[in-house]
Amino acid sequence: MRHFGHIAPEVRQRLFHQEPCEFTPDSPARLLSAALGATLYSPATRPRLADDIVKQTGRGVVSMVLCLEDSIGDDDVAEGEENLVRQFTDLAERQVDIPLLFIRVRTPDQIPDLVRRLGPAVRLLSGFVLPKFTEERGIPFLEALSAAEVASGHRLFAMPVLESPELLYRETRVETLEGIARAVDKYRDRVLALRLGVTDFCSSYGLRRAPDMTAWDVQIVASVIADVVNMLGRADGTGFTVTGPVWEYFRVQERMFKPQLRRSPFLEGQAEELREALIEHAMDGLLREITLDQANGLLGKTCIHPSHVLPVHALSVVSHEEFSDAQDILRPERGGGGVLRSQYTNKMNEVKPHRAWAERTLLRAEVFGVANEDIGFVELLAAGISG
């Protein structure tokens, strides 16, 4: 699989200076964690789930979570488990291309039970999403995952969801983060990424952000995300990939504030209709949130609607200017440090302080590609929609 793999090769060649790389579920964890992109969630009870997965693969989805937790009722869990086994078996028999697939469970004992019930079809499973993760609640999940991996002989990753009230409340936040750090560090080889449960954060205070607002505008939420990145997303080798929060909206009935998308990029790309469609479907808020996610150290995003996938991927592509700067900073002869003017002659590149940014940028370039000099977000999104 590869990002923008659903686009014709000749179109990719026009769009990209460096095309996104190909990867598989067996690729190194460092590559997979960066490549997750827009992770699309789906209830595990969907009767045509296998068809849905194949369909979304053809639309550019590279990672999905099949949910047995909050997206289904308490009385539907057994049905959801049975459906997952049927749908995985169906997919295994088809031998078709599929995304990285994860199952979001409720309890640790579901992990070995599902792995056993999946049988040979477990080869299609990349891992499990672990809800309401703290050190106390999370360790049993991680132990169960490790045991299931040994029993099945198949590599399984964990993606803990950070969403508990203890993490949100000021008086318990640091202690909770320290405990989470101990737990995920102990199982570092198994933890692919950390996910943020912002809807649960808001729930603790009876809040819900409007489509005009991003998670970063809700200060109590922004503060906890900042602390998660501070302690768990460091670039010194101790950190993990932290993914962006879910965007809940896909159509706006009424709007209080002006749209947040400038006209000029769309006029230049002759895509004014695309701009209007994005605004109508609340995508201007999503685009702003994705940009703020990236500026604050997050990579990838939880998605609950297929229309959110392409904006996440289009904004994850590395610009030609970013790529040029990163390459300059990481040239072997720059190892001693120093300052240099960018090739675009519009900024200063300071080698030592910007090194971690450059390394992260080149990893993103590997999985999402590098746009040609004259290609921007609008062209990438338009090409992705048209396929």
Side-chain angles (χ1 to χ4, degrees):
M1 71 191 84
R2 71 195 306 173
H3 284 288
F4 299 94
H6 66 300
I7 296 177
E10 61 272 18
V11 178
R12 288 203 307 269
Q13 190 173 17
R14 176 178 62 82
L15 294 173
F16 289 98
H17 170 77
Q18 174 184 299
E19 290 193 25
C21 71
E22 293 185 345
F23 57 93
T24 73
D26 297 321
S27 294
R30 179 172 177 270
L31 187 74
L32 292 181
S33 69
L36 288 167
T39 300
L40 184 64
Y41 274 55
S42 175
T45 51
R46 289 181 67 90
R48 297 181 62 85
L49 187 57
D51 292 336
D52 294 340
I53 290 168
V54 174
K55 180 180 179 180
Q56 296 308 327
T57 305
R59 293 180 172 180
V61 173
V62 303
S63 63
M64 289 185 70
V65 173
L66 314 175
C67 185
L68 289 165
E69 208 224 358
D70 287 345
S71 69
I72 66 173
D74 295 343
D75 295 335
D76 296 327
V77 175
E79 176 193 341
E81 292 177 344
E82 292 172 5
N83 189 53
L84 282 179
V85 174
R86 286 195 302 270
Q87 303 292 339
F88 267 80
T89 302
D90 181 3
L91 285 173
E93 291 173 352
R94 295 193 203 187
Q95 296 184 339
V96 293
D97 293 333
I98 59 170
L100 303 171
L101 296 178
F102 301 86
I103 298 174
R104 180 170 174 167
V105 289
R106 294 184 173 212
T107 60
D109 60 294
Q110 285 179 297
I111 294 175
D113 181 56
L114 283 168
V115 168
R116 177 186 57 80
R117 291 164 65 182
L118 285 172
V122 75
R123 63 181 175 81
L124 305 182
L125 181 65
S126 290
F128 292 89
V129 175
L130 316 180
K132 299 171 179 59
F133 192 92
T134 62
E135 183 178 29
E136 181 180 2
R137 288 194 293 268
I139 288 292
F141 280 101
L142 292 169
E143 289 174 342
L145 182 139
S146 296
E149 180 180 77
V150 171
S152 65
H154 175 69
R155 182 174 73 165
L156 295 168
F157 286 113
M159 291 201 291
V161 185
L162 310 186
E163 56 187 346
S164 65
E166 301 98 314
L167 185 58
L168 184 62
Y169 299 152
R170 180 181 292 274
E171 66 270 23
T172 54
R173 183 179 304 173
V174 172
E175 181 182 357
T176 302
L177 277 170
E178 289 174 342
I180 291 170
R182 286 191 295 268
V184 294
D185 185 62
K186 181 178 179 181
Y187 290 87
R188 176 170 294 274
D189 291 343
R190 299 277 63 81
V191 176
L192 190 62
L194 305 177
R195 312 200 71 87
L196 292 164
V198 164
T199 302
D200 281 48
F201 289 158
C202 290
S203 173
S204 296
Y205 287 88
L207 305 175
R208 185 174 190 177
R209 68 189 188 277
D212 308 280
M213 300 286 178
T214 71
W216 301 97
D217 295 313
V218 183
Q219 290 300 301
I220 197 164
V221 169
S223 70
V224 70
I225 298 176
D227 285 345
V228 168
V229 175
N230 189 324
M231 294 187 66
L232 299 169
R234 299 178 185 179
D236 59 359
T238 66
F240 296 82
T241 294
V242 183
T243 64
V246 68
W247 179 257
E248 298 177 347
Y249 297 94
F250 38 89
R251 180 174 281 277
V252 176
Q253 303 300 328
E254 186 177 358
R255 154 185 312 275
M256 182 179 297
F257 300 109
K258 288 183 177 180
Q260 302 175 69
L261 284 179
R262 291 173 57 240
R263 288 182 178 274
S264 53
F266 293 87
L267 292 174
E268 292 168 8
Q270 298 182 330
E272 179 65 15
E273 289 185 5
L274 174 59
R275 178 180 180 273
E276 295 300 324
L278 291 172
I279 291 170
E280 179 185 356
H281 291 86
M283 295 295 185
D284 54 324
L286 169 62
L287 297 176
R288 183 167 178 265
E289 183 165 287
I290 296 167
T291 303
L292 290 169
D293 288 347
Q294 293 176 353
N296 286 279
L298 308 183
L299 182 61
K301 199 165 186 65
T302 294
C303 293
I304 47 83
H305 196 273
S307 63
H308 299 168
V309 171
L310 275 171
V312 174
H313 293 170
L315 281 175
S316 298
V317 173
V318 173
S319 71
H320 188 273
E321 182 174 345
E322 289 176 307
F323 184 65
S324 172
D325 289 339
Q327 281 193 313
D328 278 353
I329 290 165
L330 294 177
R331 292 187 191 282
E333 63 268 25
R334 306 291 185 192
V339 177
L340 57 149
R341 185 176 64 172
S342 73
Q343 289 189 23
Y344 277 71
T345 68
N346 61 357
K347 71 177 74 67
M348 172 195 74
N349 288 327
E350 194 168 353
V351 173
K352 289 184 177 179
H354 290 147
R355 176 170 291 276
W357 168 85
E359 291 171 346
R360 183 169 179 164
T361 297
L362 290 190
L363 177 59
R364 183 161 56 93
E366 186 175 358
V367 294
F368 289 102
V370 179
N372 272 320
E373 288 188 69
D374 58 341
I375 296 297
F377 159 78
V378 173
E379 291 84 0
L380 290 163
L381 184 57
I385 291 173
S386 63

